[in-house]
Amino acid sequence: MIRTICGDLSKESLGFTLPHEHILIDMENCVDEMPHAEFHGKITPFNRYLMVSDPYYIKENASYVDEDVAVRELLLYKQYGGQSIVDVTPDDIGRDVRALRRIAERTGLNIIVGCGHYTEPSLSDTVKNMSVTQLADEIIRDVTTGVQGTDMRAGVIGEIGTSAEITAAEQKCVEAALIAARETGASVHFHTSLWEENGKTVLEIAKKLGTDPARICIDHIDVDLRYDYCKYLLDEGAWIEFDNCGKEFFMPPRDCGKIRGKFAYDMERAEMIARLLSDGYGDRLLVTNDLCLRTMLAEYGGNGFMHVARTILPMLRYVGVTEQDIHRLTVQNPADFLDF
């Protein structure tokens, strides 16, 4: 059973699915303050180039909340065969289930919504002061009863945030998500810091709490591609997600800002996916965009939600991935991950 914002449906009905996206988002509260004058400016066609390498050069790039824009973007995705999409935006960075319900009705797409909490900079004092039990009860309520006082239920947990060094508040949110996954059977997405290997820590906590790793996806493993790290997570029974498709950023290594080095390029992602498929790990791989920046929207000159279908799939074919495996990556695997 797949739990969408408009009701439950069979996993066979899901079709082509992006398993980790943000239809609406506001994570400006997570962006480190930068000293240049343009940081607090507005994005225009004449300064968009500033964000080609550093997407947070202008702060407002970390938010987009216009429903009409979202509908237009998703209808483009639908033109490229999209049928379902998972929105893993927590309350901390702008979850709005009523807006997502309206968008689902206007586009005809299946929208699955997440729950739980994001990284430390986004957390309210209320969340920071909650106990693990209270946080777990909140997630369980979102999955079983309804989100934000509605009867619309979450169909996945996450994305749950962790920083380079997992803070005490994040640790509570991680434990709560794993407890809720254990109790409800829902799968959980973990945002992990892009250059660290915090997926190992998440799985250690899961083992202590008795949560099945087959319900866990370690996200963002494709910024710094490390085969041994991917293999470790997969051998432990978890899912991994290639979710930075279209993000080919480069900054010289630095200690400030959200972007602290080079992102892998899409062709490198395709080659790693092909290698993992060849090595027998195809049943626990997810592929998506994690669209979370205004300049990633087609309306702002970006690749849009259709980037996986339009660009990544041809790359996968180019490196030898079969149509059977492409169907597995885009239809079968998301349905298996979301089914509970």
Side-chain angles (χ1 to χ4, degrees):
M1 177 271 297
I2 307 295
R3 180 153 292 161
T4 80
I5 203 166
C6 295
D8 295 348
L9 50 82
S10 68
K11 63 184 290 188
E12 292 76 22
S13 305
L14 202 61
F16 189 108
T17 302
L18 293 174
H20 180 138
E21 300 294 339
H22 301 279
I23 296 170
L24 303 170
I25 192 171
D26 183 353
M27 61 173 185
E28 291 187 22
N29 57 2
C30 297
V31 180
D32 294 341
E33 187 75 18
M34 300 300 282
H36 49 266
E38 298 92 343
F39 181 71
H40 291 286
K42 297 292 183 181
I43 299 171
T44 74
F46 302 101
N47 64 17
R48 186 190 182 283
Y49 73 93
L50 293 170
M51 287 152 288
V52 171
S53 292
D54 183 355
Y56 300 106
Y57 197 89
I58 296 178
K59 185 178 182 179
E60 78 164 14
N61 200 30
S63 67
Y64 49 89
V65 295
D66 189 309
E67 288 182 44
D68 291 333
V69 172
V71 168
R72 290 194 291 270
E73 296 287 329
L74 289 177
L75 289 175
L76 282 172
Y77 165 58
K78 194 173 181 180
Q79 286 179 25
Y80 281 87
Q83 295 169 265
S84 301
I85 186 168
V86 181
D87 186 288
V88 291
T89 309
D91 284 345
D92 321 289
I93 53 174
R95 180 178 66 166
D96 185 341
V97 293
R98 293 171 179 85
L100 293 175
R101 175 69 177 263
R102 291 190 294 268
I103 292 167
E105 291 170 344
R106 291 173 66 184
T107 61
L109 290 171
N110 302 311
I111 296 179
I112 296 93
V113 66
C115 57
H117 294 285
Y118 197 53
T119 56
E120 174 92 17
S122 72
L123 301 180
S124 67
D125 289 340
T126 299
V127 171
K128 291 177 183 178
N129 290 326
M130 291 171 72
S131 68
V132 172
T133 298
Q134 289 172 321
L135 290 163
D137 287 346
E138 178 189 68
I139 295 171
I140 292 168
R141 184 171 59 251
D142 279 5
V143 173
T144 61
T145 303
V147 175
Q148 295 175 341
T150 73
D151 61 357
M152 293 177 276
R153 295 179 290 175
V156 71
I157 299 168
E159 61 181 304
I160 305 301
T162 66
S163 300
E165 293 185 15
I166 299 175
T167 69
E170 291 171 351
Q171 174 89 10
K172 289 193 297 183
C173 293
V174 168
E175 291 179 11
L178 290 168
I179 291 168
R182 185 190 68 202
E183 296 302 311
T184 64
S187 291
V188 53
H189 274 290
F190 281 100
H191 165 97
T192 52
S193 188
L194 307 182
W195 287 274
E196 283 70 35
E197 296 188 352
N198 288 342
K200 293 178 179 179
T201 304
V202 169
L203 294 183
E204 289 170 3
I205 299 170
K207 189 175 295 184
K208 293 177 183 176
L209 294 172
T211 304
D212 184 354
R215 306 315 298 173
I216 296 169
C217 183
I218 304 301
D219 302 338
H220 314 326
I221 55 81
D222 62 331
V223 169
D224 181 11
L225 289 167
R226 291 153 287 180
Y227 179 83
D228 289 345
Y229 178 49
C230 292
K231 186 176 184 299
Y232 173 87
L233 298 172
L234 292 163
D235 286 341
E236 288 294 305
W239 295 73
I240 62 171
E241 187 173 74
F242 291 77
D243 52 23
N244 282 279
C245 296
K247 301 175 188 173
E248 298 183 328
F249 308 128
F250 174 77
M251 289 296 296
R254 59 181 184 173
D255 295 326
C256 63
K258 286 180 71 67
I259 305 301
R260 294 184 283 113
K262 172 189 178 294
F263 276 50
Y265 297 134
D266 280 349
M267 184 57 75
E268 294 173 308
R269 294 185 177 101
E271 290 168 347
M272 179 66 81
I273 292 168
R275 181 179 177 185
L276 290 167
L277 286 166
S278 177
D279 289 347
Y281 292 111
D283 60 343
R284 272 171 288 131
L285 306 179
L286 297 175
V287 180
T288 193
N289 306 289
D290 185 15
L291 201 151
C292 59
L293 301 163
R294 194 175 302 195
T295 51
M296 291 180 72
L297 298 169
E299 195 147 321
Y300 282 81
N303 292 311
F305 291 106
M306 62 282 194
H307 180 60
V308 168
R310 184 173 178 270
T311 306
I312 301 301
L313 298 192
M315 286 184 178
L316 290 172
R317 294 183 181 105
Y318 179 80
V319 296
V321 174
T322 66
E323 293 303 317
Q324 180 180 357
D325 278 334
I326 285 174
H327 182 271
R328 183 194 300 193
L329 293 170
T330 58
V331 178
Q332 181 180 332
N333 282 3
D336 287 344
F337 178 70
L338 294 166
D339 184 38
F340 70 105

